[in-house]
Amino acid sequence: MRTLCSSTLLAEFFVIGFAGLVAMKSDSLTMTAVWTVCGIAMLLSLGLCGVITRPGGVQLGWVLQVALLLSGFVVPMMFILGAAFAALWWASVHYGRIIDAHKARWATALAEHEAATPEGATAAPGGATAAPEGAATAERDAAGPYAG
């Protein structure tokens, strides 16, 4: 989940920065206000990359998504980009959790497999134990290095 969510947050960092450039053109906003809000949002997106797996990280990410959507009142194109990033955020969280669950099952199965395999032997997926690594067979030696 961390990789997918961090990728989404990093892309949002750049989108927020570009939205700030567009918002600077508005006559009703001061440059200080634009870059204060954009700077905080940009720092939040970068900071979330590091704490996404901690408690509350995903919820803070949702807060950022809502803020991105609401920024559409200042820069109308942000309604579209905010919705797109909210969908990306949902997909990153949803599929990231699925991937994490598969990784955990794979690591457990691998640990059990390694515990059941004798020292120095390599077990084939079907359960058969192969010769220790580095043991050469007569057939392989006779075939030579270019045998197909």
Side-chain angles (χ1 to χ4, degrees):
M1 180 173 76
R2 183 180 178 128
T3 303
L4 292 174
C5 290
S6 294
S7 299
T8 302
L9 290 168
L10 187 60
E12 284 182 10
F13 172 84
F14 290 106
V15 168
I16 293 167
F18 290 131
L21 292 173
V22 172
M24 272 182 22
K25 303 292 183 193
S26 175
D27 294 332
S28 63
L29 300 172
T30 66
M31 194 177 337
T32 305
V34 168
W35 288 112
T36 299
V37 171
C38 286
I40 290 170
M42 290 170 78
L43 287 175
L44 179 62
S45 68
L46 283 182
L48 279 172
C49 288
V51 298
I52 197 64
T53 57
R54 294 198 179 135
V58 172
Q59 289 76 14
L60 277 174
W62 279 115
V63 169
L64 182 64
Q65 303 315 308
V66 170
L68 213 58
L69 270 170
L70 292 176
S71 69
F73 289 111
V74 178
V75 179
M77 186 60 157
M78 290 305 292
F79 282 125
I80 296 168
L81 289 172
F85 274 105
L88 280 172
W89 182 253
W90 175 84
S92 297
V93 171
H94 177 74
Y95 292 113
R97 286 181 176 157
I98 292 171
I99 290 169
D100 287 349
H102 285 292
K103 280 183 178 179
R105 275 189 293 193
W106 177 255
T108 302
L110 184 61
E112 290 172 358
H113 174 74
E114 288 177 350
T117 305
E119 184 69 29
T122 308
T129 304
E133 206 171 307
T137 63
E139 294 168 0
R140 190 173 62 215
D141 289 343
Y146 300 107

